[in-house]
Amino acid sequence: MLERIKSILLVSLVILSLLLIAAINMFDFNRSSESLSEYYPQITLGDNKVLEEVVSPEKIIVHSADESHFLLNRNNPFYSLIYNEVKKFTFFTPAIVEEQIDWDKLRNEKNGLELVFAQAHDSNTLKAIFDLTAGFTYMPSIDRIWFFTDDMEDVGVYFISEELDRVYYARTINTAPLIDKYLSELDDEQRFSYHLSGVIGDAINVEKGYYLPVDELVADRISKKSLNFSENNVIQMIFSVPSSVRLFYSGDNQDTVYYTDGISSLEYYNETNAFSFYQPVLEEQLRFNMERELAATVKFVNQHGGWDGDYLLTSAYNKFNGTKVDFRFTKYIDGIPIYTVKEMYGQIQIEANNNLVSNYKRSTLLVEKTTRQAQKNMSGPELLESLAEIAIEEEQIRDINLFYILRKSDGSLELEPYWLIEYDQASIYMIAAAK
Amino acid sequence: MDWGKTKTILIIAFLMLNVLLGYQLYLKYDESDYQLWDKGSEKEISELLEEYGITISGVIPSDKQTMNFIRANVLTFEGELLYSSINYDNITENNISSILTDSVKNINEFTYSEQESIEGTQIVFSQLKSGFPLFGGRLTVDLTGNDLLRYKQVYLEVVGEGAGRQIISATKALKSAIDLQLIPNNSEIESLTLGYYGEGVQSILDEIPPVWRVVYKSEDIINVLHINAITGENVLKLG
């Protein structure tokens, strides 16, 4: 009995000595040696988003049988009203439309709703918004979805792919009075006229065009007072252990400063108020799935700064022989996208593969206060007249879109509405929307 | 081999080893900054206060808790308000809250500050965060007469909190202030209050630390200083 107690005691003492050795080595009571930055609250540029929000339509065009068209931007209350209703729709049995569609009749003689996306999505991505029934045919590259009342007074739907020059027809369970209900409420909204694209190209099935305001365009000049995130703010936002990050390289003029934690790296651009974060990922792309990559990307942004406003996916393409996907998200103000050339404000660029983000680039500017100034803008006919004066005729124009052009001045961002005109084969012209 | 004897020897040896290791662990803890920070500070502070002729009118708080850095948006509101003197013939800190309830946002997060108020002309409320004053968040009400109130509110909307960390004791904060020569000789310490320092905060980029607010009287002038309750450093107004 005594021997048994001795054995148990000995084993216990051995275990205790091991625990004490581990405690001496592992616990650091010198808490002041820890970096204070570990205790700073997480800093963010904005809120979290779900996948659906960044792939939702850029605008909704409501077509009336009396040849009126209402273009509803994302800030328009009717946009939310219609979108929230439409996304409950369930679609059935899509099939490619073989016969020629009479677009003019559809646009001007039938009530309809047209959802226009900033970037073409395949049907897998569209499942983030709509209830596409199981076994729904895979549809690549959908730019627009057009709801209309068919001859049986049911609602039919065209899924339109401009890139593939293809149209799919599907049925929904919703009925015609729904579209009529929206139309009856839009009387006070700004009306737009349709203009057929002057350069049609090879398109046979899909008609391309653009919409211009019948009367003066409603768009304000906007000024935003901004703050700039410092290198430390960005480090705190991006790295999981900020205290392990060290300055790696800083050039003479300090335009770009490089940091690393030994695995990932950060480039901080002082001149352009932006940063670029790199982390190593497996180069080889395993089973590629755009929707999964996009979901991982949205989650990454949520966890690394968030979304400082209304962003939409405006570009997604494969690069480096398909090993990476490049996603670009554009910020919308009052439903109008920001057009950036040099500045990063208004853009989030991400490279991803295998559901991991390898490069994350965005602006370090955070808007604190917005002031707006109403201005008199040109109407559609006035715009076309101005273009004709510089020898850009309507038949040369491929597309016209409205953007906010960004100019940075001391401590603030100035945003001015501009029309971007694409004409001839690949020419671009920009003109201020103001009169 | 006598296994019984061997076991006894091993038990004694491990017992001695564990005592040694336990002592080693105790030394490590005892010599840590964390422990040194407060150790013997009460005795030390008494000697220091005596040396510099500094007196304390109240009791040194014994709070030793975990607090955190916070971030906040700075929101400013101001306005005027007419009230009926039939209902409120005498404006006090008690009934002013009910007058302002509908006009001032988050008034329940503010508490009357007798120290900062001026009797009959101005009533000041300080913002609270988790029961501690959030210095910088303030509601000032000017009593202009003619049944009119003029108010200005600086509200620090907390948008983020860091991980909790043990703060230094009030004694240590006081010692730090004396060591840094922030309190002149022959001063009288009136109060030591724990709170958050948000004075001069401009945006969410500024970290708001927990602080010990030291109010002292020197040559009949009341002065205030703030000691970072985590680092023991003097906190200067931002902006």
Side-chain angles (χ1 to χ4, degrees):
Chain A
M1 179 65 181
L2 182 67
E3 287 307 311
R4 199 170 204 173
I5 293 169
K6 272 187 186 176
S7 301
I8 293 167
L9 187 63
L10 184 58
V11 170
S12 309
L13 284 168
V14 171
I15 292 169
L16 180 63
S17 63
L18 290 172
L19 289 174
L20 283 167
I21 290 167
I24 289 168
N25 286 307
M26 285 166 68
F27 289 112
D28 181 12
F29 298 108
N30 285 334
R31 298 189 70 178
S32 64
S33 64
E34 291 172 352
S35 169
L36 266 192
S37 63
E38 301 290 327
Y39 291 89
Y40 289 154
Q42 173 78 17
I43 195 162
T44 57
L45 285 152
D47 303 324
N48 288 355
K49 284 199 187 297
V50 292
L51 177 60
E52 185 213 313
E53 289 172 87
V54 297
V55 297
S56 54
E58 182 186 49
K59 53 197 165 207
I60 296 175
I61 303 165
V62 182
H63 303 286
S64 170
D66 65 359
E67 296 190 26
S68 301
H69 311 286
F70 304 91
L71 193 147
L72 309 175
N73 279 331
R74 293 171 63 79
N75 66 329
N76 190 307
F78 286 107
Y79 173 99
S80 317
L81 194 82
I82 295 172
Y83 177 63
N84 288 332
E85 195 68 44
V86 162
K87 70 183 187 182
K88 295 177 197 158
F89 284 21
T90 307
F91 302 102
F92 303 96
T93 56
I96 292 178
V97 179
E98 303 287 356
E99 68 273 20
Q100 196 69 35
I101 297 167
D102 186 346
W103 292 105
D104 190 58
K105 187 179 171 195
L106 184 69
R107 181 174 293 105
N108 297 317
E109 294 174 27
K110 285 177 187 284
N111 291 342
L113 298 172
E114 190 180 353
L115 312 188
V116 182
F117 295 96
Q119 155 75 18
H121 303 303
D122 64 19
S123 50
N124 288 339
T125 307
L126 289 175
K127 279 179 186 167
I129 306 173
F130 301 108
D131 186 10
L132 305 181
T133 50
F136 200 86
T137 317
Y138 176 76
M139 298 182 298
S141 193
I142 301 300
D143 305 276
R144 293 184 272 148
I145 301 177
W146 195 318
F147 301 83
F148 58 94
T149 317
D150 65 17
D151 299 333
M152 308 290 288
E153 285 301 298
D154 283 336
V155 175
V157 186
Y158 283 148
F159 290 84
I160 302 163
S161 170
E162 287 188 0
E163 187 194 343
L164 302 173
D165 189 34
R166 193 181 294 166
V167 180
Y168 299 84
Y169 174 77
R171 301 289 299 271
T172 97
I173 55 167
N174 294 76
T175 51
L178 207 59
I179 294 177
D180 300 339
K181 187 186 85 180
Y182 303 135
L183 276 166
S184 64
E185 293 171 353
L186 289 170
D187 263 356
D188 296 334
E189 292 299 311
Q190 191 165 27
R191 282 161 204 265
F192 283 72
S193 57
Y194 179 74
H195 300 259
L196 188 64
S197 180
V199 185
I200 295 167
D202 300 331
I204 299 165
N205 300 312
V206 178
E207 187 188 275
K208 291 179 190 175
Y210 51 91
Y211 291 84
L212 293 177
V214 173
D215 302 313
E216 269 180 22
L217 171 80
V218 181
D220 295 340
R221 175 192 282 265
I222 291 172
S223 177
K224 287 177 178 281
K225 193 174 160 239
S226 64
L227 289 170
N228 189 34
F229 269 40
S230 68
E231 290 135 271
N232 283 338
N233 295 143
V234 176
I235 287 169
Q236 219 176 81
M237 188 174 79
I238 297 289
F239 291 91
S240 50
V241 186
S243 58
S244 64
V245 179
R246 298 284 177 267
L247 179 70
F248 169 63
Y249 176 74
S250 156
D252 290 341
N253 54 9
Q254 303 231 327
D255 276 353
T256 306
V257 189
Y258 300 84
Y259 291 89
T260 181
D261 65 351
I263 300 166
S264 312
S265 69
L266 171 75
E267 290 175 19
Y268 182 88
Y269 311 115
N270 278 307
E271 202 183 345
T272 52
N273 299 117
F275 72 84
S276 188
F277 173 72
Y278 298 90
Q279 58 181 1
V281 293
L282 190 66
E283 281 301 315
E284 193 187 342
Q285 179 69 259
L286 303 174
R287 271 184 230 117
F288 177 73
N289 180 318
M290 179 68 89
E291 188 214 349
R292 243 185 5 229
E293 297 287 350
L294 186 56
T297 299
V298 172
K299 194 174 165 195
F300 181 89
V301 178
N302 286 344
Q303 293 168 341
H304 297 84
W307 307 81
D308 56 317
D310 183 22
Y311 278 85
L312 281 183
L313 177 70
T314 46
S315 163
Y317 61 91
N318 282 311
K319 60 199 274 191
F320 305 126
N321 293 328
T323 56
K324 281 182 182 168
V325 198
D326 188 298
F327 292 114
R328 283 174 196 222
F329 301 91
T330 301
K331 183 169 177 164
Y332 282 67
I333 294 174
D334 292 349
I336 301 167
I338 296 177
Y339 186 86
T340 50
V341 183
K342 195 177 151 206
E343 305 296 337
M344 271 305 291
Y345 182 78
Q347 281 269 317
I348 296 177
Q349 295 178 9
I350 289 186
E351 272 175 26
N353 76 338
N354 298 314
N355 304 331
L356 290 169
V357 167
S358 57
N359 180 220
Y360 175 40
K361 196 173 175 183
R362 70 185 293 181
S363 167
T364 54
L365 294 174
L366 175 68
V367 166
E368 248 203 324
K369 198 178 170 188
T370 302
T371 48
R372 52 182 67 242
Q373 193 188 337
Q375 64 175 28
K376 288 250 173 211
N377 295 313
M378 286 185 283
S379 64
E382 284 169 327
L383 171 67
L384 293 174
E385 215 172 285
S386 302
L387 293 173
E389 282 171 18
I390 52 162
I392 300 176
E393 299 298 336
E394 201 173 338
E395 51 273 17
Q396 291 173 265
I397 298 169
R398 281 186 292 129
D399 202 1
I400 299 183
N401 284 296
L402 187 64
F403 285 91
Y404 267 121
I405 296 290
L406 177 77
R407 280 195 191 89
K408 210 167 65 179
S409 67
D410 195 26
S412 75
L413 303 167
E414 306 297 328
L415 293 149
E416 198 183 336
Y418 263 75
W419 290 107
L420 188 142
I421 298 104
E422 295 172 52
Y423 66 102
D424 292 340
Q425 284 312 309
S427 300
I428 283 177
Y429 181 74
M430 292 180 100
I431 184 168
K435 276 189 180 178
Chain B
M1 185 186 264
D2 186 348
W3 276 109
K5 214 172 197 172
T6 313
K7 274 189 222 167
T8 310
I9 293 166
L10 280 170
I11 286 168
I12 293 166
F14 270 100
L15 209 57
M16 285 165 70
L17 175 69
N18 283 348
V19 169
L20 255 167
L21 288 171
Y23 183 62
Q24 192 76 31
L25 189 65
Y26 168 74
L27 279 183
K28 193 174 175 183
Y29 172 71
D30 198 46
E31 286 167 6
S32 64
D33 300 344
Y34 178 61
Q35 189 63 8
L36 278 177
W37 205 227
D38 291 324
K39 203 173 96 180
S41 49
E42 266 176 42
K43 190 182 161 204
E44 233 176 276
I45 197 76
S46 311
E47 287 170 7
L48 267 177
L49 293 172
E50 210 179 302
E51 191 185 331
Y52 291 102
I54 299 169
T55 55
I56 298 179
S57 54
V59 182
I60 300 178
S62 55
D63 302 63
K64 256 183 93 175
Q65 52 194 302
T66 301
M67 287 177 81
N68 41 23
F69 286 92
I70 57 175
R71 285 189 200 283
N73 269 324
V74 186
L75 307 173
T76 309
F77 308 97
E78 51 190 312
E80 289 182 338
L81 193 66
L82 273 169
Y83 64 95
S84 165
S85 51
I86 300 162
N87 297 331
Y88 303 100
D89 56 340
N90 188 21
I91 296 291
T92 65
E93 67 274 10
N94 295 324
N95 60 28
I96 203 159
S97 300
S98 48
I99 299 174
L100 292 170
T101 302
D102 294 333
S103 312
V104 174
K105 287 178 182 171
N106 308 301
I107 197 163
N108 55 327
E109 290 180 39
F110 287 78
T111 186
Y112 172 62
S113 169
E114 194 184 349
Q115 238 172 11
E116 294 172 272
S117 299
I118 305 164
E119 204 182 333
T121 57
Q122 193 178 64
I123 298 175
V124 178
F125 293 83
S126 300
Q127 192 177 340
L128 292 178
K129 155 86 182 83
S130 313
F132 296 107
L134 175 44
F135 306 119
R138 188 179 287 111
L139 169 63
T140 312
V141 186
D142 291 319
L143 311 172
T144 59
N146 304 323
D147 298 353
L148 184 75
L149 296 176
R150 194 167 291 131
Y151 65 87
K152 185 176 181 187
Q153 184 190 28
V154 178
Y155 178 63
L156 299 174
E157 183 192 34
V158 177
V159 291
E161 295 187 32
R165 185 165 164 157
Q166 174 87 47
I167 58 158
I168 61 171
S169 67
T171 317
K172 189 64 208 174
L174 197 54
K175 184 179 176 300
S176 181
I178 296 168
D179 287 345
L180 293 167
Q181 300 184 330
L182 299 170
I183 304 174
N185 293 0
N186 306 312
S187 299
E188 186 191 346
I189 310 287
E190 295 207 326
S191 67
L192 274 152
T193 321
L194 195 54
Y196 292 91
Y197 189 76
E199 296 279 1
V201 163
Q202 306 283 315
S203 69
I204 58 158
L205 301 186
D206 300 320
E207 290 94 16
I208 299 175
V211 289
W212 281 104
R213 181 188 183 97
V214 185
V215 179
Y216 65 92
K217 195 196 278 181
S218 174
E219 295 173 349
D220 288 332
I221 298 169
I222 303 279
N223 296 289
V224 178
L225 65 94
H226 298 87
I227 300 295
N228 188 315
I230 285 174
T231 62
E233 292 163 345
N234 182 26
V235 180
L236 300 172
K237 187 176 174 177
L238 292 160

